[in-house]
Amino acid sequence: QMTQPFYGEHQSGILNPPPASAALIAFDVLAWDKNELTRLFKILTERCEFLTQGGEPPTTEEKFPPLDSGIVGTYVHPDNLTITLALGDSLFDERFGLAEAKPRHLQPMTRFPNDALDADWCHGDLLLQICANSQETVLHAMRDIIKHTPSLLSVRWRRDGFISNHVAATAGRETPINLLGFKDGTVNPNTRDQAEANRVILVSDQHDEPAWAQGGSYMAVRLIRFFVEQWDRTPLQEQEAVFGRDRESGAPLGMKNEHDIPDYSQDPEGKQVPLDSHMRLANPRTPGFEKHQLLRRAYNYSDAISASGQLDMGLLFICYQADLDAGFITVQKRLNGEPLEEYIKPFGGGYFFALPGVSKPGEYFAQALL
Ligand code: HEM
């Protein structure tokens, strides 16, 4: 059993190592004015505090619906739960008069060349990233929040995700393997280094943003389907060239260990790590590129089968950065046209702004914004 803090300058669910289970759930906000929106944030604060810190839910008489779904038993254990609340660009439209206060880089996600975006799987006024050690805890939290916000939120889309349990159990020391069979998350900013986090992950006084946004983070979400049948018939050397890494060790091609760092200036023609490989495009390691870093915190997803009878699985790509344009958007533009595109199809997601944390009891989410 682990408890992630609820109160703090930034929300939990960003810097802590990802636990085994997750869900992304996006909502349209039904609140019609700022008062109702404030009421929503107060309810969300109260529910998230209770659910993440744990406790005994209240009971009621049998003639009333139970106050808790009961799916985790009579005592709610924290179970490493985090509920990370993020706002979409559409929340800053005319409804609530918040346009002036919008984080500077927040914008609607637009289509990249390889995308086949399905409107039913895109955007949202509000997004929750729910993570915990077990799927029951994630679903319990999701149902609790929906039950408490009937006239305030309407579900827009939802996807559940997972990473291998034994990896989650090492608290970030081992790298999760994605459903293409490659270690995914090797090169990431150091989340234990607060200075680095304040530079590349969290909005801080180093960034030109509204004061209320400090401690928040831009969140890029991409729902990406994998063509696994095709991938599974692709030669290993081709798979490895796609990423630029050895599948088994995770090392850059031509090197030995997962965390070895290639010196591309010694390999200008890409004889070892191909110039168009995913890792080399995503981070060419040229001087000045350090400002284009992002924190990847992805989960696998697996659903039933597609309309054409193919396995429907892939990645809930989630990344956090202090500057959406310098982070995700720049890196994705560099990835456009990469060989990996033959095996993947992004179909949904959106850009969101993860709110700063609730700093102490008595305060609520987005208080400084409202
Ligand atoms: C690295 C997989 C999408 C950004 C990697 C690596 C793998 C991988 C296996 C190498 C190991 C590692 O450093 O984690 C995938 C798959 C994707 C995907 C399967 C989706 C189909 C994306 C997207 C972005 C991205 C959409 C951002 C726009 C990066 C970055 C690195 C990386 C920045 C680290 C590069 C480095 O510094 O060496 N990815 N990725 N990836 N990926 Fe992705």
mmCIF file of all heavy atoms in Angstrom, residues 141-175:
data_model
loop_
_atom_site.group_PDB
_atom_site.id
_atom_site.type_symbol
_atom_site.label_atom_id
_atom_site.label_comp_id
_atom_site.label_asym_id
_atom_site.label_seq_id
_atom_site.Cartn_x
_atom_site.Cartn_y
_atom_site.Cartn_z
ATOM 1 N N ALA A 141 -12.552 4.981 -8.275
ATOM 2 C CA ALA A 141 -12.402 6.442 -8.251
ATOM 3 C C ALA A 141 -13.234 7.072 -9.372
ATOM 4 O O ALA A 141 -13.916 8.081 -9.172
ATOM 5 C CB ALA A 141 -10.925 6.817 -8.400
ATOM 6 N N MET A 142 -13.185 6.462 -10.543
ATOM 7 C CA MET A 142 -13.929 6.991 -11.685
ATOM 8 C C MET A 142 -15.435 7.024 -11.384
ATOM 9 O O MET A 142 -16.125 8.019 -11.619
ATOM 10 C CB MET A 142 -13.652 6.083 -12.897
ATOM 11 C CG MET A 142 -14.177 6.604 -14.201
ATOM 12 S SD MET A 142 -13.982 5.357 -15.504
ATOM 13 C CE MET A 142 -12.225 5.292 -15.703
ATOM 14 N N ARG A 143 -15.955 5.941 -10.836
ATOM 15 C CA ARG A 143 -17.387 5.881 -10.542
ATOM 16 C C ARG A 143 -17.774 6.844 -9.424
ATOM 17 O O ARG A 143 -18.837 7.460 -9.457
ATOM 18 C CB ARG A 143 -17.784 4.438 -10.205
ATOM 19 C CG ARG A 143 -17.917 3.619 -11.477
ATOM 20 C CD ARG A 143 -18.077 2.156 -11.222
ATOM 21 N NE ARG A 143 -19.241 1.803 -10.408
ATOM 22 C CZ ARG A 143 -19.644 0.547 -10.216
ATOM 23 N NH1 ARG A 143 -18.975 -0.460 -10.771
ATOM 24 N NH2 ARG A 143 -20.695 0.292 -9.474
ATOM 25 N N ASP A 144 -16.897 6.990 -8.463
ATOM 26 C CA ASP A 144 -17.173 7.924 -7.369
ATOM 27 C C ASP A 144 -17.303 9.352 -7.918
ATOM 28 O O ASP A 144 -18.227 10.089 -7.561
ATOM 29 C CB ASP A 144 -16.025 7.848 -6.346
ATOM 30 C CG ASP A 144 -16.272 8.749 -5.142
ATOM 31 O OD1 ASP A 144 -16.027 9.967 -5.250
ATOM 32 O OD2 ASP A 144 -16.720 8.230 -4.101
ATOM 33 N N ILE A 145 -16.381 9.713 -8.783
ATOM 34 C CA ILE A 145 -16.395 11.089 -9.314
ATOM 35 C C ILE A 145 -17.621 11.310 -10.192
ATOM 36 O O ILE A 145 -18.300 12.336 -10.099
ATOM 37 C CB ILE A 145 -15.072 11.376 -10.049
ATOM 38 C CG1 ILE A 145 -13.966 11.538 -8.993
ATOM 39 C CG2 ILE A 145 -15.182 12.630 -10.912
ATOM 40 C CD1 ILE A 145 -12.582 11.578 -9.529
ATOM 41 N N ILE A 146 -17.952 10.349 -11.013
ATOM 42 C CA ILE A 146 -19.136 10.494 -11.872
ATOM 43 C C ILE A 146 -20.401 10.586 -11.028
ATOM 44 O O ILE A 146 -21.293 11.398 -11.273
ATOM 45 C CB ILE A 146 -19.192 9.337 -12.890
ATOM 46 C CG1 ILE A 146 -18.082 9.538 -13.931
ATOM 47 C CG2 ILE A 146 -20.565 9.241 -13.553
ATOM 48 C CD1 ILE A 146 -17.886 8.389 -14.880
ATOM 49 N N LYS A 147 -20.461 9.766 -9.976
ATOM 50 C CA LYS A 147 -21.637 9.783 -9.109
ATOM 51 C C LYS A 147 -21.821 11.138 -8.421
ATOM 52 O O LYS A 147 -22.943 11.580 -8.212
ATOM 53 C CB LYS A 147 -21.485 8.680 -8.048
ATOM 54 C CG LYS A 147 -22.639 8.572 -7.074
ATOM 55 C CD LYS A 147 -22.333 7.469 -6.061
ATOM 56 C CE LYS A 147 -23.245 7.551 -4.848
ATOM 57 N NZ LYS A 147 -24.608 7.164 -5.156
ATOM 58 N N HIS A 148 -20.714 11.796 -8.097
ATOM 59 C CA HIS A 148 -20.798 13.056 -7.361
ATOM 60 C C HIS A 148 -20.941 14.300 -8.243
ATOM 61 O O HIS A 148 -21.053 15.405 -7.729
ATOM 62 C CB HIS A 148 -19.564 13.232 -6.454
ATOM 63 C CG HIS A 148 -19.638 12.397 -5.212
ATOM 64 N ND1 HIS A 148 -19.213 11.091 -5.170
ATOM 65 C CD2 HIS A 148 -20.129 12.670 -3.976
ATOM 66 C CE1 HIS A 148 -19.408 10.608 -3.968
ATOM 67 N NE2 HIS A 148 -19.965 11.537 -3.216
ATOM 68 N N THR A 149 -20.920 14.132 -9.568
ATOM 69 C CA THR A 149 -20.950 15.320 -10.445
ATOM 70 C C THR A 149 -22.040 15.221 -11.513
ATOM 71 O O THR A 149 -21.810 15.568 -12.668
ATOM 72 C CB THR A 149 -19.572 15.497 -11.126
ATOM 73 O OG1 THR A 149 -19.207 14.252 -11.753
ATOM 74 C CG2 THR A 149 -18.494 15.898 -10.159
ATOM 75 N N PRO A 150 -23.243 14.744 -11.136
ATOM 76 C CA PRO A 150 -24.252 14.424 -12.155
ATOM 77 C C PRO A 150 -24.615 15.576 -13.084
ATOM 78 O O PRO A 150 -24.665 15.396 -14.280
ATOM 79 C CB PRO A 150 -25.464 13.964 -11.348
ATOM 80 C CG PRO A 150 -25.246 14.483 -9.975
ATOM 81 C CD PRO A 150 -23.759 14.533 -9.786
ATOM 82 N N SER A 151 -24.858 16.740 -12.578
ATOM 83 C CA SER A 151 -25.301 17.816 -13.471
ATOM 84 C C SER A 151 -24.145 18.700 -13.913
ATOM 85 O O SER A 151 -24.344 19.747 -14.506
ATOM 86 C CB SER A 151 -26.349 18.660 -12.760
ATOM 87 O OG SER A 151 -25.773 19.147 -11.561
ATOM 88 N N LEU A 152 -22.924 18.273 -13.613
ATOM 89 C CA LEU A 152 -21.769 19.120 -13.868
ATOM 90 C C LEU A 152 -20.834 18.583 -14.946
ATOM 91 O O LEU A 152 -20.141 19.346 -15.615
ATOM 92 C CB LEU A 152 -20.981 19.319 -12.565
ATOM 93 C CG LEU A 152 -21.721 20.109 -11.477
ATOM 94 C CD1 LEU A 152 -20.996 19.998 -10.140
ATOM 95 C CD2 LEU A 152 -21.854 21.572 -11.879
ATOM 96 N N LEU A 153 -20.808 17.265 -15.107
ATOM 97 C CA LEU A 153 -19.887 16.648 -16.066
ATOM 98 C C LEU A 153 -20.609 15.615 -16.916
ATOM 99 O O LEU A 153 -21.484 14.902 -16.424
ATOM 100 C CB LEU A 153 -18.756 15.917 -15.327
ATOM 101 C CG LEU A 153 -17.699 16.728 -14.594
ATOM 102 C CD1 LEU A 153 -16.704 15.775 -13.904
ATOM 103 C CD2 LEU A 153 -16.965 17.662 -15.541
ATOM 104 N N SER A 154 -20.226 15.518 -18.167
ATOM 105 C CA SER A 154 -20.742 14.457 -19.026
ATOM 106 C C SER A 154 -19.559 13.805 -19.734
ATOM 107 O O SER A 154 -18.697 14.490 -20.280
ATOM 108 C CB SER A 154 -21.754 15.089 -19.989
ATOM 109 O OG SER A 154 -21.708 14.502 -21.236
ATOM 110 N N VAL A 155 -19.489 12.467 -19.687
ATOM 111 C CA VAL A 155 -18.316 11.770 -20.218
ATOM 112 C C VAL A 155 -18.248 11.916 -21.728
ATOM 113 O O VAL A 155 -19.250 11.769 -22.431
ATOM 114 C CB VAL A 155 -18.340 10.270 -19.867
ATOM 115 C CG1 VAL A 155 -17.102 9.573 -20.442
ATOM 116 C CG2 VAL A 155 -18.384 10.056 -18.365
ATOM 117 N N ARG A 156 -17.076 12.188 -22.229
ATOM 118 C CA ARG A 156 -16.860 12.375 -23.660
ATOM 119 C C ARG A 156 -16.137 11.166 -24.254
ATOM 120 O O ARG A 156 -16.553 10.606 -25.242
ATOM 121 C CB ARG A 156 -16.050 13.654 -23.837
ATOM 122 C CG ARG A 156 -15.877 14.104 -25.231
ATOM 123 C CD ARG A 156 -15.099 15.419 -25.258
ATOM 124 N NE ARG A 156 -14.736 15.711 -26.618
ATOM 125 C CZ ARG A 156 -15.457 16.503 -27.420
ATOM 126 N NH1 ARG A 156 -16.548 17.076 -26.978
ATOM 127 N NH2 ARG A 156 -15.075 16.700 -28.661
ATOM 128 N N TRP A 157 -15.037 10.769 -23.647
ATOM 129 C CA TRP A 157 -14.377 9.534 -24.060
ATOM 130 C C TRP A 157 -13.573 8.983 -22.893
ATOM 131 O O TRP A 157 -13.299 9.704 -21.928
ATOM 132 C CB TRP A 157 -13.488 9.730 -25.295
ATOM 133 C CG TRP A 157 -12.412 10.787 -25.208
ATOM 134 C CD1 TRP A 157 -12.492 12.076 -25.650
ATOM 135 C CD2 TRP A 157 -11.072 10.650 -24.666
ATOM 136 N NE1 TRP A 157 -11.316 12.745 -25.409
ATOM 137 C CE2 TRP A 157 -10.422 11.891 -24.824
ATOM 138 C CE3 TRP A 157 -10.377 9.588 -24.071
ATOM 139 C CZ2 TRP A 157 -9.112 12.113 -24.402
ATOM 140 C CZ3 TRP A 157 -9.068 9.800 -23.651
ATOM 141 C CH2 TRP A 157 -8.450 11.056 -23.820
ATOM 142 N N ARG A 158 -13.205 7.728 -22.988
ATOM 143 C CA ARG A 158 -12.463 7.098 -21.907
ATOM 144 C C ARG A 158 -11.651 5.936 -22.458
ATOM 145 O O ARG A 158 -12.108 5.220 -23.357
ATOM 146 C CB ARG A 158 -13.465 6.565 -20.883
ATOM 147 C CG ARG A 158 -12.870 5.534 -19.968
ATOM 148 C CD ARG A 158 -13.943 4.683 -19.303
ATOM 149 N NE ARG A 158 -13.316 3.515 -18.759
ATOM 150 C CZ ARG A 158 -13.932 2.367 -18.502
ATOM 151 N NH1 ARG A 158 -15.214 2.254 -18.746
ATOM 152 N NH2 ARG A 158 -13.261 1.371 -18.021
ATOM 153 N N ARG A 159 -10.461 5.725 -21.948
ATOM 154 C CA ARG A 159 -9.633 4.563 -22.280
ATOM 155 C C ARG A 159 -8.918 4.096 -21.023
ATOM 156 O O ARG A 159 -8.423 4.908 -20.257
ATOM 157 C CB ARG A 159 -8.545 4.919 -23.291
ATOM 158 C CG ARG A 159 -8.987 4.997 -24.707
ATOM 159 C CD ARG A 159 -8.840 3.650 -25.402
ATOM 160 N NE ARG A 159 -9.756 3.621 -26.529
ATOM 161 C CZ ARG A 159 -9.714 2.740 -27.517
ATOM 162 N NH1 ARG A 159 -8.799 1.788 -27.529
ATOM 163 N NH2 ARG A 159 -10.591 2.778 -28.484
ATOM 164 N N ASP A 160 -8.838 2.806 -20.831
ATOM 165 C CA ASP A 160 -8.087 2.237 -19.711
ATOM 166 C C ASP A 160 -6.716 1.787 -20.184
ATOM 167 O O ASP A 160 -6.565 1.354 -21.331
ATOM 168 C CB ASP A 160 -8.827 1.025 -19.134
ATOM 169 C CG ASP A 160 -10.124 1.436 -18.455
ATOM 170 O OD1 ASP A 160 -10.307 2.646 -18.207
ATOM 171 O OD2 ASP A 160 -10.946 0.554 -18.171
ATOM 172 N N GLY A 161 -5.740 1.856 -19.304
ATOM 173 C CA GLY A 161 -4.389 1.460 -19.683
ATOM 174 C C GLY A 161 -3.696 0.672 -18.591
ATOM 175 O O GLY A 161 -4.147 0.621 -17.452
ATOM 176 N N PHE A 162 -2.589 0.064 -18.983
ATOM 177 C CA PHE A 162 -1.821 -0.736 -18.017
ATOM 178 C C PHE A 162 -0.354 -0.729 -18.410
ATOM 179 O O PHE A 162 -0.009 -0.507 -19.575
ATOM 180 C CB PHE A 162 -2.343 -2.192 -18.003
ATOM 181 C CG PHE A 162 -2.225 -2.885 -19.333
ATOM 182 C CD1 PHE A 162 -1.114 -3.653 -19.641
ATOM 183 C CD2 PHE A 162 -3.215 -2.741 -20.304
ATOM 184 C CE1 PHE A 162 -0.983 -4.267 -20.887
ATOM 185 C CE2 PHE A 162 -3.102 -3.351 -21.550
ATOM 186 C CZ PHE A 162 -1.982 -4.119 -21.832
ATOM 187 N N ILE A 163 0.509 -0.934 -17.423
ATOM 188 C CA ILE A 163 1.901 -1.292 -17.709
ATOM 189 C C ILE A 163 2.196 -2.531 -16.892
ATOM 190 O O ILE A 163 1.481 -2.836 -15.931
ATOM 191 C CB ILE A 163 2.917 -0.173 -17.363
ATOM 192 C CG1 ILE A 163 2.756 0.306 -15.922
ATOM 193 C CG2 ILE A 163 2.815 0.984 -18.327
ATOM 194 C CD1 ILE A 163 3.820 1.312 -15.490
ATOM 195 N N SER A 164 3.237 -3.261 -17.296
ATOM 196 C CA SER A 164 3.448 -4.541 -16.622
ATOM 197 C C SER A 164 3.702 -4.318 -15.136
ATOM 198 O O SER A 164 4.431 -3.426 -14.730
ATOM 199 C CB SER A 164 4.588 -5.319 -17.274
ATOM 200 O OG SER A 164 5.658 -4.450 -17.548
ATOM 201 N N ASN A 165 3.057 -5.168 -14.367
ATOM 202 C CA ASN A 165 3.037 -5.042 -12.927
ATOM 203 C C ASN A 165 4.431 -5.103 -12.308
ATOM 204 O O ASN A 165 4.765 -4.337 -11.417
ATOM 205 C CB ASN A 165 2.178 -6.193 -12.386
ATOM 206 C CG ASN A 165 1.478 -5.792 -11.123
ATOM 207 O OD1 ASN A 165 1.740 -4.712 -10.594
ATOM 208 N ND2 ASN A 165 0.619 -6.634 -10.638
ATOM 209 N N HIS A 166 5.271 -6.019 -12.809
ATOM 210 C CA HIS A 166 6.587 -6.158 -12.179
ATOM 211 C C HIS A 166 7.419 -4.896 -12.403
ATOM 212 O O HIS A 166 8.248 -4.534 -11.596
ATOM 213 C CB HIS A 166 7.312 -7.407 -12.692
ATOM 214 C CG HIS A 166 8.017 -7.220 -13.997
ATOM 215 N ND1 HIS A 166 7.369 -7.283 -15.205
ATOM 216 C CD2 HIS A 166 9.310 -6.929 -14.277
ATOM 217 C CE1 HIS A 166 8.238 -7.051 -16.171
ATOM 218 N NE2 HIS A 166 9.419 -6.834 -15.640
ATOM 219 N N VAL A 167 7.150 -4.207 -13.503
ATOM 220 C CA VAL A 167 7.854 -2.961 -13.758
ATOM 221 C C VAL A 167 7.362 -1.876 -12.802
ATOM 222 O O VAL A 167 8.140 -1.159 -12.174
ATOM 223 C CB VAL A 167 7.662 -2.520 -15.226
ATOM 224 C CG1 VAL A 167 8.163 -1.102 -15.414
ATOM 225 C CG2 VAL A 167 8.397 -3.466 -16.157
ATOM 226 N N ALA A 168 6.046 -1.795 -12.674
ATOM 227 C CA ALA A 168 5.480 -0.808 -11.762
ATOM 228 C C ALA A 168 6.026 -1.038 -10.352
ATOM 229 O O ALA A 168 6.303 -0.093 -9.614
ATOM 230 C CB ALA A 168 3.958 -0.898 -11.772
ATOM 231 N N ALA A 169 6.219 -2.308 -10.000
ATOM 232 C CA ALA A 169 6.667 -2.641 -8.651
ATOM 233 C C ALA A 169 8.085 -2.145 -8.379
ATOM 234 O O ALA A 169 8.477 -1.993 -7.227
ATOM 235 C CB ALA A 169 6.584 -4.152 -8.429
ATOM 236 N N THR A 170 8.874 -1.882 -9.413
ATOM 237 C CA THR A 170 10.227 -1.393 -9.168
ATOM 238 C C THR A 170 10.266 0.126 -9.046
ATOM 239 O O THR A 170 11.347 0.715 -9.020
ATOM 240 C CB THR A 170 11.212 -1.816 -10.291
ATOM 241 O OG1 THR A 170 10.856 -1.123 -11.493
ATOM 242 C CG2 THR A 170 11.197 -3.302 -10.540
ATOM 243 N N ALA A 171 9.101 0.748 -9.014
ATOM 244 C CA ALA A 171 8.993 2.200 -8.794
ATOM 245 C C ALA A 171 9.884 2.991 -9.740
ATOM 246 O O ALA A 171 10.609 3.884 -9.337
ATOM 247 C CB ALA A 171 9.301 2.547 -7.338
ATOM 248 N N GLY A 172 9.821 2.649 -11.003
ATOM 249 C CA GLY A 172 10.483 3.461 -12.001
ATOM 250 C C GLY A 172 11.916 3.045 -12.310
ATOM 251 O O GLY A 172 12.548 3.623 -13.178
ATOM 252 N N ARG A 173 12.458 2.043 -11.617
ATOM 253 C CA ARG A 173 13.832 1.646 -11.916
ATOM 254 C C ARG A 173 13.915 0.779 -13.169
ATOM 255 O O ARG A 173 14.928 0.755 -13.847
ATOM 256 C CB ARG A 173 14.475 0.938 -10.723
ATOM 257 C CG ARG A 173 14.916 1.926 -9.639
ATOM 258 C CD ARG A 173 15.687 1.252 -8.544
ATOM 259 N NE ARG A 173 14.888 0.226 -7.884
ATOM 260 C CZ ARG A 173 13.989 0.474 -6.941
ATOM 261 N NH1 ARG A 173 13.783 1.712 -6.548
ATOM 262 N NH2 ARG A 173 13.301 -0.496 -6.397
ATOM 263 N N GLU A 174 12.830 0.058 -13.473
ATOM 264 C CA GLU A 174 12.804 -0.701 -14.718
ATOM 265 C C GLU A 174 11.904 0.019 -15.702
ATOM 266 O O GLU A 174 10.929 0.643 -15.319
ATOM 267 C CB GLU A 174 12.258 -2.108 -14.470
ATOM 268 C CG GLU A 174 13.347 -3.145 -14.389
ATOM 269 C CD GLU A 174 12.779 -4.546 -14.339
ATOM 270 O OE1 GLU A 174 12.187 -4.966 -15.353
ATOM 271 O OE2 GLU A 174 12.891 -5.195 -13.288
ATOM 272 N N THR A 175 12.212 -0.133 -16.965
ATOM 273 C CA THR A 175 11.448 0.578 -17.991
ATOM 274 C C THR A 175 10.314 -0.313 -18.492
ATOM 275 O O THR A 175 10.551 -1.473 -18.817
ATOM 276 C CB THR A 175 12.377 0.928 -19.166
ATOM 277 O OG1 THR A 175 13.551 1.543 -18.633
ATOM 278 C CG2 THR A 175 11.707 1.869 -20.132
#
